């Protein structure tokens, strides 16, 4: 059995008092804990103790310096949607009744729909429960990544339609044909879109066996039984 080695990191204590511990952590097979005599109990040697304490001190100082740097340099983001070609406005169909879906917004996801190695963007739109014109204009949008920091709207050629009040989406290659498929949730009817292999999708909801639903928000694809095929959760 491997011996567990202990290194004291406590401050000197008064007679009869328990040591005050400044650090207790694990490093490989070495454990740091308090002892009454301030020595490594299995005799690993002064050099090892000195080296380990130097390492601990360096990590602590480095951590404090990084913390100070993070505090002095806050993370900043810039809205580059317009510059990147993302022209999308979510329609929530807000009414005085404040129906729950109107207050929730919709989802979106990045996925490589055309297998060119660049992540494309799919944005789910909402609609309206009372205004048919607003509902008809609330198109989901698929943006192809051009590989240069910009995107092109390819919705019209994608085969992705409108179905109810859009809520969310998830993507995976559910039939293992090498192309990523798309599932869109909604208040109204969910849709499963199968990738044709030609940079477009076909609605296979009715023949796939997945429930269309009457009101869904979040779904996910996952291989829950590790048999190589994803399930829809």
């Amino acid at each position: 059995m491997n011996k567990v080695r202990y290194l004291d990191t406590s401050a000197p204590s008064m007679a009869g008092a328990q040591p005050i511990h400044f650090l207790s952590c694990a490093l490989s097979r070495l454990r740091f804990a308090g002892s009454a005599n301030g020595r490594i109990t299995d005799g690993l040697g002064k050099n090892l103790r000195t080296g380990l304490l130097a390492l601990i001190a360096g990590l602590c100082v480095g951590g404090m310096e990084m913390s100070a740097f993070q505090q002095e340099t806050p993370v900043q983001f810039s809205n580059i949607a317009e510059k990147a070609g993302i022209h999308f406005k979510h329609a929530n169909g807000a009414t005085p009744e404040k129906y729950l879906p109107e207050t929730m917004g919709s989802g979106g996801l990045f996925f490589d729909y055309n297998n060119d190695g660049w992540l494309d963007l799919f944005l789910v739109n909402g609609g309206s429960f009372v205004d048919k014109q607003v509902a008809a204009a609330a198109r989901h949008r698929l943006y192809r990544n051009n590989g240069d920091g910009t995107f092109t709207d390819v919705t019209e050629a994608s085969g992705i339609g409108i179905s109810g009040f859009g809520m969310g989406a998830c993507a995976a290659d559910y039939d293992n044909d090498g192309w990523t498929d798309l599932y869109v949730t909604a208040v109204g009817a969910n849709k499963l879109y199968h990738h044709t292999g030609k940079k477009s999708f076909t609605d296979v909801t009715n023949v796939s066996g997945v429930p269309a639903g009457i009101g869904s928000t979040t779904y996910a694809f996952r291989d829950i039984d590790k048999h190589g095929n994803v399930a829809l959760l």
Side-chain angles (χ1 to χ4, degrees):
M1 180 185 300
N2 293 319
K3 296 177 65 178
V4 178
R5 299 170 176 137
Y6 296 92
L7 174 63
D8 176 39
T9 58
S10 63
S13 59
M14 298 178 65
Q18 294 297 320
I20 302 172
H21 300 286
F22 291 110
L23 178 66
S24 178
C25 64
L27 177 63
S28 184
R29 293 181 180 176
L30 290 173
R31 292 180 56 194
F32 301 91
S35 66
N37 53 20
R39 295 178 300 173
I40 300 176
T41 59
D42 65 353
L44 290 178
K46 181 178 180 180
N47 290 337
L48 177 58
R49 180 177 64 180
T50 302
L52 289 173
L53 288 175
L55 173 60
I56 295 168
L59 291 174
C60 291
V61 172
M64 288 187 292
E65 290 179 348
M66 179 59 70
S67 177
F69 173 78
Q70 292 173 342
Q71 292 177 2
E72 295 173 2
T73 311
V75 176
Q76 296 181 346
F77 295 89
S78 298
N79 186 351
I80 61 170
E82 290 293 327
K83 182 179 179 180
I86 307 299
H87 308 293
F88 177 85
K89 183 177 181 180
H90 176 259
N92 64 7
T95 63
E97 289 76 16
K98 295 183 178 180
Y99 298 116
L100 182 60
E102 297 174 353
T103 68
M104 296 175 63
S106 297
L109 58 89
F110 285 98
F111 73 112
D112 184 6
Y113 94 98
N114 57 352
N115 286 355
D116 65 352
W118 296 93
L119 288 177
D120 309 296
L121 176 62
F122 178 71
L123 296 174
V124 180
N125 213 335
S128 174
F129 295 108
V130 297
D131 191 323
K132 293 182 179 180
Q133 185 175 357
V134 172
R139 289 291 305 272
H140 308 315
R141 291 293 171 182
L142 178 63
Y143 292 92
R144 185 189 68 234
N145 192 328
N146 298 321
D148 59 1
T150 64
F151 293 79
T152 298
D153 188 340
V154 294
T155 307
E156 294 298 329
S158 69
I160 301 171
I162 303 174
S163 58
F165 194 102
M167 296 301 296
C170 58
D173 181 8
Y174 77 86
D175 58 349
N176 292 334
D177 65 353
W179 295 92
T180 303
D181 310 296
L182 182 67
Y183 190 68
V184 183
T185 64
V187 177
N190 300 339
K191 292 292 184 179
L192 177 63
Y193 292 99
H194 177 256
H195 202 297
T196 64
K198 299 178 181 179
K199 302 180 182 180
S200 62
F201 298 85
T202 299
D203 184 352
V204 295
T205 309
N206 294 333
V207 298
S208 64
V210 300
I214 58 174
S216 304
T217 54
T218 302
Y219 269 78
F221 285 106
R222 185 176 179 84
D223 184 4
I224 58 176
D225 52 7
K226 306 298 183 182
H227 69 337
N229 295 300
V230 296
L232 184 60
L233 308 176

